[in-house]
Amino acid sequence: QVSLVESGGDSVQSGGSLQLSCAASEKLAGNACVAWFRQAPGREREGVAKILLEYGHTYFADAVKGRFTLRKDNPKNIVYLRMNSLKPEDTGTYVCAARLNGCPDFFVGGLEAYNIRGQGTQVTVSS
């Protein structure tokens, strides 16, 4: 059973940057898709970004477009979420998730559409 472990969460000031890592315990074979979701207290969970590993196709939520990027390190089985120009509204628990049968359109199905999930890492952005 493949597992995912996130790291890189921290507390930063508004305008700062962080890089989150999502490390898989083994290579994600097939048409794997890796996504990041986040949830803040009192707010609904939302999709942030996703990448189709084989082709490197990425998709970002409007709220983070232009500020966040995704990068994959195939030999290390790691997907990085680089977050720049962070805002207080980026605060939340960021969860990495994966599925082996392609990426859903947009974030259809939410986190539940991904059957492999990490425990999450906390990001706090102060103003």
Side-chain angles (χ1 to χ4, degrees), residues 6 32 68 74 85 91 120:
E6 305 96 332
F68 290 13
N74 289 337
S85 302
T91 293

Side-chain angles (χ1 to χ4, degrees), residues 2-3 16 20 29 34 39 41-42 49 65 71 77 83-84 87 92 94 100-101 107 122 127:
V2 177
S3 61
L20 306 183
V34 175
Q39 186 166 20
K65 202 170 295 183
R71 180 173 64 89
N77 301 321
M83 307 185 296
N84 296 324
K87 306 174 182 180
Y94 284 67
L100 302 183
N101 53 340
F107 295 106
Q122 179 66 32
S127 57

Side-chain angles (χ1 to χ4, degrees), residues 32-48:
C33 179
V34 175
W36 286 93
F37 291 82
R38 68 185 182 188
Q39 186 166 20
R43 298 179 62 179
E44 289 190 1
R45 185 188 300 128
E46 60 178 344
V48 175

Side-chain angles (χ1 to χ4, degrees), residues 16-65:
S17 297
L18 282 175
Q19 178 166 278
L20 306 183
S21 300
C22 174
S25 58
E26 60 189 70
K27 178 179 172 62
L28 295 173
N31 198 22
C33 179
V34 175
W36 286 93
F37 291 82
R38 68 185 182 188
Q39 186 166 20
R43 298 179 62 179
E44 289 190 1
R45 185 188 300 128
E46 60 178 344
V48 175
K50 62 180 181 177
I51 181 169
L52 186 63
L53 290 185
E54 184 173 3
Y55 300 105
H57 297 164
T58 57
Y59 175 81
F60 298 89
D62 287 343
V64 306
K65 202 170 295 183

Side-chain angles (χ1 to χ4, degrees), residues 4 22 33-37 95-99 111 114 116-118:
L4 301 176
C22 174
C33 179
V34 175
W36 286 93
F37 291 82
V95 176
C96 174
R99 50 185 276 162
L111 182 61
Y114 297 77
I116 308 168
R117 305 166 198 168

